[in-house]
Amino acid sequence: QVQLVESGGGLVQTGGSLRLSCAASGSIFSINAMRWYRQAPGNQRELVAAISSAGTTNYADSVKGRFTISRDNAKNTVYLQMNSLKPEDTAVYYCNGDVAKDITLTLFRYWGQGTKVTVSS
């Protein structure tokens, strides 16, 4: 089995920063894309940022210039550096990854349990 565990959420004031981490463990041969999503109360889950295995990134327009996604392939970990945080960034943040468990490279998508980020005004 594969587990993704997020950490780093918390309460921060407007303009502050947080760094989220998501570590994958278990039966992992390789990981393709990894992503961060968020879901605010009453809203649908939305894609925040994504990174390919080669390091290509893309971002939601709402976070461009403020958030940076990165990964450490040796640690099977993806990060989300969040700067200049706004109250509208308040949400539960989830990571996911497309994991190959063996040499067949068949991909399975796994999700973490989420970490809560609250930005106070």
Side-chain angles (χ1 to χ4, degrees), residues 23-35:
S25 62
S27 301
I28 297 171
F29 181 81
S30 63
I31 305 178
N32 278 18
M34 301 188 80
R35 307 169 189 86

Side-chain angles (χ1 to χ4, degrees), residues 2-4 6 37 45 94-97 109-113:
V2 174
Q3 298 84 36
L4 273 66
E6 300 102 332
Y37 284 76
R45 192 171 295 189
Y94 300 88
C95 67
N96 77 24
R109 184 163 296 174
Y110 292 92
W111 288 84
Q113 82 290 347

Side-chain angles (χ1 to χ4, degrees), residues 31-112:
I31 305 178
N32 278 18
M34 301 188 80
R35 307 169 189 86
W36 286 98
Y37 284 76
R38 66 186 180 187
Q39 187 168 20
N43 291 359
Q44 290 187 334
R45 192 171 295 189
E46 63 173 351
L47 177 65
V48 175
I51 185 167
S52 72
S53 56
T56 301
T57 59
N58 61 74
Y59 298 91
D61 288 343
S62 59
V63 306
K64 281 181 182 176
R66 300 188 298 122
F67 290 11
T68 302
I69 189 171
S70 62
R71 64 191 287 171
D72 184 333
N73 291 332
K75 296 181 178 180
N76 290 329
T77 299
V78 63
Y79 305 96
L80 187 67
Q81 177 66 43
M82 305 186 294
N83 298 329
S84 302
L85 283 161
K86 306 174 181 180
E88 51 264 43
D89 295 317
T90 294
V92 178
Y93 284 71
Y94 300 88
C95 67
N96 77 24
D98 296 336
V99 178
K101 295 193 282 186
D102 54 41
I103 200 169
T104 65
L105 300 182
T106 301
L107 295 177
F108 299 88
R109 184 163 296 174
Y110 292 92
W111 288 84

